[in-house]
Amino acid sequence: MSRRMIIAGNWKMNKPPSQAAEFIRQLVPLVADAEAEVVCCVPAIDIVPAVEAAKGSNIRIGAENMYFEEKGAYTGEIAPDMLVDAGVSHVILGHSERREYFAETDEMVNRKVKAAFAHGLIPIICCGETLKQREQGITIDWIRQQIKIAFQDITPEQAAAAVIAYEPIWAIGTGKVATSGQAQEVCHAIRQLMGELYGPEVAEQVRIQYGGSVAPANAAELFSQPDIDGGLVGGASLKPDFGQIVHWK
């Protein structure tokens, strides 16, 4: 079966609301006829103006994080139904920066994945290894552990709808890019694991992105790999270059 490519931008902590809306409006004609699904994952404060600016276009708006509880005394957190009500379709979960700077664990990621599915949000579930882990030769083992825990108690139907983003931590924002062979090797291992957990049909359906210094110059080679179904794009998603990545062919 053919999987529809998904190109998602991760804006991280960039662009105030006025700039966010203006950039989305600028981006609309640049991606209008894209074959791939186009998602801009924006800071929480940008969600409402971004959704408004994207109305009537093929750009979907995603969030960069959310909490797993429905509501309550969790100052500063955002609940899943708040995102849904604001018009969000996707949410990035378990990004390496969340794990490193905000102490997110695999178990927390799993709870967030469950909450996302419970509210009809599509999770973009991140995994990745450090340079030290790659040098130690434990990349695949590490990724398998992250994925196994993230998908604990997730149904086959939910798993098939998920997006997994493989981002080698040593390639995020560094300008270093995993070779297409390195990226394909890990994405293939992820698909194999999904087959072990859920069977071949789900493994064929789940979409696996590569992220880590994706740019117009390397997008075509990365996205042509058989197990890479698009990208989670950082810095380049903040510029009109994002349109070139969306049209990588």
Side-chain angles (χ1 to χ4, degrees):
M1 63 166 290
S2 61
R3 296 177 294 271
R4 188 182 181 197
M5 301 286 281
I6 175 167
I7 317 289
N10 177 13
W11 287 13
K12 308 192 179 185
M13 197 174 71
N14 292 291
K15 293 192 186 296
S18 58
Q19 289 181 17
E22 178 57 36
F23 180 70
I24 294 290
R25 286 192 289 268
Q26 184 182 359
L27 198 60
V28 166
L30 300 180
V31 303
D33 55 350
E35 291 178 26
E37 188 173 355
V38 181
V39 186
C40 289
C41 298
V42 305
I45 198 168
D46 292 347
I47 287 171
V48 171
V51 166
E52 189 63 33
K55 273 185 180 168
S57 77
N58 61 326
I59 297 174
R60 305 179 79 179
I61 302 302
E64 297 179 12
N65 184 39
M66 66 169 209
Y67 202 50
F68 45 74
E69 296 288 0
E70 299 286 322
K71 60 183 176 182
Y74 305 103
T75 301
E77 292 294 338
I78 294 174
D81 66 340
M82 293 177 181
L83 297 181
V84 173
D85 191 68
V88 163
S89 58
H90 296 67
V91 58
I92 298 173
L93 299 176
H95 192 279
S96 61
E97 290 157 1
R98 298 291 318 169
R99 296 173 190 262
E100 180 180 357
Y101 302 130
F102 304 102
E104 283 198 8
T105 64
D106 290 327
E107 289 75 18
M108 286 173 68
V109 173
N110 175 240
R111 292 183 73 178
K112 291 183 178 190
V113 171
K114 290 175 185 172
F117 278 125
H119 288 269
L121 292 162
I122 298 172
I124 299 175
I125 303 161
C126 297
C127 59
E129 84 284 11
T130 64
L131 184 58
K132 184 177 181 182
Q133 287 162 341
R134 176 162 281 276
E135 289 171 345
Q136 290 171 332
I138 62 170
T139 294
I140 301 298
D141 292 335
W142 183 261
I143 300 295
R144 282 174 62 91
Q145 175 177 299
Q146 288 184 314
I147 297 297
K148 279 183 176 180
I149 298 174
F151 280 85
Q152 196 162 6
D153 301 321
I154 298 301
T155 69
E157 294 75 20
Q158 291 171 332
V163 177
I164 299 172
Y166 165 57
E167 292 198 303
I169 296 168
W170 47 272
I172 298 173
T174 61
K176 295 179 182 176
V177 186
T179 66
S180 56
Q182 288 172 323
Q184 164 60 20
E185 179 189 21
V186 178
C187 290
H188 179 66
I190 293 170
R191 201 173 302 286
Q192 281 187 316
L193 174 59
M194 294 303 283
E196 292 172 26
L197 296 175
Y198 295 104
E201 191 175 327
V202 169
E204 273 301 302
Q205 286 180 272
V206 68
R207 292 181 292 176
I208 304 171
Q209 299 176 312
Y210 168 78
S213 299
V214 176
N218 58 39
E221 184 180 349
L222 287 164
F223 298 168
S224 66
Q225 300 302 309
D227 289 299
I228 298 178
D229 306 312
L232 184 58
V233 184
S237 72
L238 298 166
K239 300 176 282 191
D241 286 2
F242 189 56
Q244 296 177 46
I245 294 171
V246 167
H247 295 288
W248 75 93
K249 289 183 180 178

